[in-house]
Amino acid sequence: MNELDVVGVRVEMPSNQPIVLLREVGGDRYLPIWIGPGEATAIAFAQQGMTPVRPLTHDLFRNVLEAVGQQLTEVRITDLREGVFYAELVFASGVEVSARPSDAIALALRTGAPIYGSDGVLDEAGIAIPDEQEDEVERFREFLDQISPEDFGSSSQ
C-alpha cells in the first residue's frame, strides 16, 4: 500500500464529469478517480474546511463514529475492476467495511485518516508525472484553489 494525498477535485471536460486527483506520497504517480457531483462537493467542502449549517452525509457519518466511539484509522483504495474502483474503511476495532472511494476519501478528509492505494491500482491506473511536468500540476492546484463546491452543481445521474 502506498500513501496518497488528495490534490483536489475538478470537472473533466467535455464530459463535465468531476474527478478527484490523488498523489502518491514520495512518488511521482497520480491517481484520477471519476466521481459524482455530490461526492465532489463533499470532498471540496472538506478540503476547504467548510462546515455546512446542517451536516451532509459524510459529516453525519463522522459524527456517528464519534458518538459510538469508533475511529477510522485508514482508507484503502484496494481494487479496480472493469473500470470501477473499490475501497475499504478500516476502523481501530479491526472492522473493515467496503466503500466507494469517493465516499471513503470524503470521510478520510473529515476524520484525518490516511488514504492508501494498492500497488495494483497504482500500477494499472496511476499516471506518472515526472518532475519537469510539476508546473502543470501546480497550475492544476491553483485552479482548484479558485473553484468552489457550488461549481459542481447538483445534476442527478
Side-chain angles (χ1 to χ4, degrees):
M1 287 286 179
N2 302 283
E3 188 169 2
L4 303 170
D5 282 335
V6 179
V7 175
V9 177
R10 71 169 287 197
V11 176
E12 183 69 21
M13 297 308 243
S15 67
N16 207 29
Q17 179 72 34
I19 65 168
V20 61
L21 184 63
L22 305 170
R23 180 183 56 84
E24 182 180 27
V25 174
D28 65 352
R29 292 184 289 186
Y30 288 76
L31 183 64
I33 300 177
W34 280 257
I35 60 177
E39 292 77 16
T41 299
I43 291 168
F45 267 25
Q47 276 203 299
Q48 294 174 7
M50 296 177 67
T51 304
V53 176
R54 298 293 299 145
L56 299 175
T57 303
H58 302 95
D59 301 302
L60 175 62
F61 192 14
R62 179 204 54 219
N63 295 345
V64 169
L65 289 174
E66 289 174 2
V68 299
Q70 280 292 325
Q71 180 185 4
L72 179 65
T73 56
E74 65 185 53
V75 162
R76 298 177 187 155
I77 300 172
T78 57
D79 203 2
L80 173 60
R81 290 177 286 193
E82 299 178 22
V84 177
F85 288 91
Y86 293 82
E88 293 175 351
L89 304 173
V90 181
F91 296 94
S93 64
V95 172
E96 297 180 10
V97 176
S98 179
R100 296 183 307 178
S102 56
D103 291 326
I105 291 165
L107 190 57
L109 289 172
R110 284 164 172 74
T111 62
I115 302 167
Y116 297 97
S118 74
D119 291 330
V121 168
L122 286 166
D123 290 345
E124 184 173 345
I127 301 168
I129 300 178
D131 289 339
E132 60 268 10
Q133 293 181 352
E134 280 294 319
D135 288 343
E136 188 173 333
V137 173
E138 187 56 37
R139 285 194 301 273
F140 177 66
R141 287 186 183 127
E142 289 171 9
F143 164 79
L144 293 173
D145 289 339
Q146 297 171 7
I147 62 172
S148 70
E150 291 79 25
D151 294 333
F152 298 107
S154 61
S155 64
S156 59
Q157 295 183 358

